[in-house]
PDB file of all heavy atoms in Angstrom:
ATOM      1  N   LYS C  50     -33.308 144.740  50.470  1.00  0.00           N
ATOM      2  CA  LYS C  50     -34.574 145.136  49.843  1.00  0.00           C
ATOM      3  C   LYS C  50     -35.297 143.870  49.390  1.00  0.00           C
ATOM      4  O   LYS C  50     -34.648 142.860  49.124  1.00  0.00           O
ATOM      5  CB  LYS C  50     -34.318 146.027  48.616  1.00  0.00           C
ATOM      6  CG  LYS C  50     -33.529 147.282  48.906  1.00  0.00           C
ATOM      7  CD  LYS C  50     -33.193 148.046  47.637  1.00  0.00           C
ATOM      8  CE  LYS C  50     -32.092 149.068  47.864  1.00  0.00           C
ATOM      9  NZ  LYS C  50     -32.431 150.104  48.853  1.00  0.00           N
ATOM     10  N   TYR C  55     -31.014 146.133  40.656  1.00  0.00           N
ATOM     11  CA  TYR C  55     -30.185 146.124  39.445  1.00  0.00           C
ATOM     12  C   TYR C  55     -30.835 145.372  38.292  1.00  0.00           C
ATOM     13  O   TYR C  55     -30.803 145.822  37.153  1.00  0.00           O
ATOM     14  CB  TYR C  55     -28.800 145.553  39.766  1.00  0.00           C
ATOM     15  CG  TYR C  55     -28.204 146.215  40.977  1.00  0.00           C
ATOM     16  CD1 TYR C  55     -28.079 145.541  42.193  1.00  0.00           C
ATOM     17  CD2 TYR C  55     -27.830 147.566  40.933  1.00  0.00           C
ATOM     18  CE1 TYR C  55     -27.573 146.174  43.318  1.00  0.00           C
ATOM     19  CE2 TYR C  55     -27.329 148.206  42.056  1.00  0.00           C
ATOM     20  CZ  TYR C  55     -27.204 147.502  43.244  1.00  0.00           C
ATOM     21  OH  TYR C  55     -26.730 148.140  44.360  1.00  0.00           O
ATOM     22  N   SER C  74     -15.581 157.337  50.682  1.00  0.00           N
ATOM     23  CA  SER C  74     -15.739 158.778  50.889  1.00  0.00           C
ATOM     24  C   SER C  74     -16.282 159.004  52.294  1.00  0.00           C
ATOM     25  O   SER C  74     -16.799 158.066  52.915  1.00  0.00           O
ATOM     26  CB  SER C  74     -16.663 159.400  49.843  1.00  0.00           C
ATOM     27  OG  SER C  74     -16.641 160.818  49.951  1.00  0.00           O
ATOM     28  N   TYR C  75     -16.158 160.232  52.780  1.00  0.00           N
ATOM     29  CA  TYR C  75     -16.640 160.515  54.135  1.00  0.00           C
ATOM     30  C   TYR C  75     -16.910 161.999  54.264  1.00  0.00           C
ATOM     31  O   TYR C  75     -16.476 162.807  53.433  1.00  0.00           O
ATOM     32  CB  TYR C  75     -15.605 160.073  55.181  1.00  0.00           C
ATOM     33  CG  TYR C  75     -14.326 160.851  55.104  1.00  0.00           C
ATOM     34  CD1 TYR C  75     -14.109 161.954  55.938  1.00  0.00           C
ATOM     35  CD2 TYR C  75     -13.346 160.526  54.179  1.00  0.00           C
ATOM     36  CE1 TYR C  75     -12.948 162.696  55.855  1.00  0.00           C
ATOM     37  CE2 TYR C  75     -12.182 161.265  54.084  1.00  0.00           C
ATOM     38  CZ  TYR C  75     -11.983 162.344  54.917  1.00  0.00           C
ATOM     39  OH  TYR C  75     -10.837 163.086  54.815  1.00  0.00           O
ATOM     40  N   THR C  76     -17.641 162.339  55.310  1.00  0.00           N
ATOM     41  CA  THR C  76     -17.839 163.748  55.645  1.00  0.00           C
ATOM     42  C   THR C  76     -17.695 163.901  57.147  1.00  0.00           C
ATOM     43  O   THR C  76     -17.969 162.970  57.908  1.00  0.00           O
ATOM     44  CB  THR C  76     -19.209 164.269  55.191  1.00  0.00           C
ATOM     45  OG1 THR C  76     -19.343 165.645  55.594  1.00  0.00           O
ATOM     46  CG2 THR C  76     -20.359 163.481  55.816  1.00  0.00           C
ATOM     47  N   TYR C  85     -28.202 163.871  68.411  1.00  0.00           N
ATOM     48  CA  TYR C  85     -26.894 163.301  68.044  1.00  0.00           C
ATOM     49  C   TYR C  85     -25.751 164.260  68.386  1.00  0.00           C
ATOM     50  O   TYR C  85     -24.610 164.013  68.048  1.00  0.00           O
ATOM     51  CB  TYR C  85     -26.853 162.994  66.533  1.00  0.00           C
ATOM     52  CG  TYR C  85     -27.906 162.009  66.102  1.00  0.00           C
ATOM     53  CD1 TYR C  85     -29.185 162.445  65.756  1.00  0.00           C
ATOM     54  CD2 TYR C  85     -27.639 160.637  66.065  1.00  0.00           C
ATOM     55  CE1 TYR C  85     -30.172 161.541  65.371  1.00  0.00           C
ATOM     56  CE2 TYR C  85     -28.616 159.731  65.682  1.00  0.00           C
ATOM     57  CZ  TYR C  85     -29.884 160.185  65.339  1.00  0.00           C
ATOM     58  OH  TYR C  85     -30.843 159.291  64.970  1.00  0.00           O
TER      59      TYR C  85
ATOM     60  N   ILE F 374     -31.132 157.765  60.712  1.00  0.00           N
ATOM     61  CA  ILE F 374     -31.099 157.160  62.046  1.00  0.00           C
ATOM     62  C   ILE F 374     -29.701 157.235  62.660  1.00  0.00           C
ATOM     63  O   ILE F 374     -29.536 157.262  63.874  1.00  0.00           O
ATOM     64  CB  ILE F 374     -31.608 155.681  62.011  1.00  0.00           C
ATOM     65  CG1 ILE F 374     -31.722 155.084  63.424  1.00  0.00           C
ATOM     66  CG2 ILE F 374     -30.698 154.802  61.155  1.00  0.00           C
ATOM     67  CD1 ILE F 374     -32.775 155.691  64.300  1.00  0.00           C
ATOM     68  N   LEU F 385     -20.621 163.980  51.386  1.00  0.00           N
ATOM     69  CA  LEU F 385     -19.942 162.728  51.066  1.00  0.00           C
ATOM     70  C   LEU F 385     -19.800 162.562  49.541  1.00  0.00           C
ATOM     71  O   LEU F 385     -18.777 162.115  49.028  1.00  0.00           O
ATOM     72  CB  LEU F 385     -20.842 161.633  51.634  1.00  0.00           C
ATOM     73  CG  LEU F 385     -20.320 160.326  52.074  1.00  0.00           C
ATOM     74  CD1 LEU F 385     -20.939 159.996  53.413  1.00  0.00           C
ATOM     75  CD2 LEU F 385     -20.737 159.295  51.095  1.00  0.00           C
ATOM     76  N   ARG F 388     -17.093 165.142  48.325  1.00  0.00           N
ATOM     77  CA  ARG F 388     -15.711 164.705  48.556  1.00  0.00           C
ATOM     78  C   ARG F 388     -15.310 163.651  47.515  1.00  0.00           C
ATOM     79  O   ARG F 388     -14.195 163.664  46.986  1.00  0.00           O
ATOM     80  CB  ARG F 388     -15.521 164.148  49.963  1.00  0.00           C
ATOM     81  CG  ARG F 388     -14.045 163.854  50.257  1.00  0.00           C
ATOM     82  CD  ARG F 388     -13.828 163.190  51.594  1.00  0.00           C
ATOM     83  NE  ARG F 388     -14.345 163.952  52.704  1.00  0.00           N
ATOM     84  CZ  ARG F 388     -13.694 164.949  53.303  1.00  0.00           C
ATOM     85  NH1 ARG F 388     -12.495 165.291  52.902  1.00  0.00           N
ATOM     86  NH2 ARG F 388     -14.237 165.598  54.307  1.00  0.00           N
ATOM     87  N   ASP F 483     -31.479 155.190  49.294  1.00  0.00           N
ATOM     88  CA  ASP F 483     -30.228 155.143  50.044  1.00  0.00           C
ATOM     89  C   ASP F 483     -29.060 155.319  49.076  1.00  0.00           C
ATOM     90  O   ASP F 483     -29.150 154.959  47.903  1.00  0.00           O
ATOM     91  CB  ASP F 483     -30.102 153.802  50.763  1.00  0.00           C
ATOM     92  CG  ASP F 483     -30.042 152.662  49.775  1.00  0.00           C
ATOM     93  OD1 ASP F 483     -31.099 152.245  49.280  1.00  0.00           O
ATOM     94  OD2 ASP F 483     -28.930 152.224  49.448  1.00  0.00           O
ATOM     95  N   SER F 486     -26.538 151.717  47.914  1.00  0.00           N
ATOM     96  CA  SER F 486     -26.825 150.733  46.863  1.00  0.00           C
ATOM     97  C   SER F 486     -26.830 151.345  45.462  1.00  0.00           C
ATOM     98  O   SER F 486     -27.137 150.664  44.491  1.00  0.00           O
ATOM     99  CB  SER F 486     -28.168 150.044  47.136  1.00  0.00           C
ATOM    100  OG  SER F 486     -29.233 150.948  46.946  1.00  0.00           O
TER     101      SER F 486
END
Side-chain angles (χ1 to χ4, degrees):
Chain C
K50 302 174 196 299
Y55 310 109
S74 188
Y75 65 96
T76 178
Y85 300 87
Chain F
I374 186 67
L385 208 134
R388 187 185 303 277
D483 63 280
S486 70

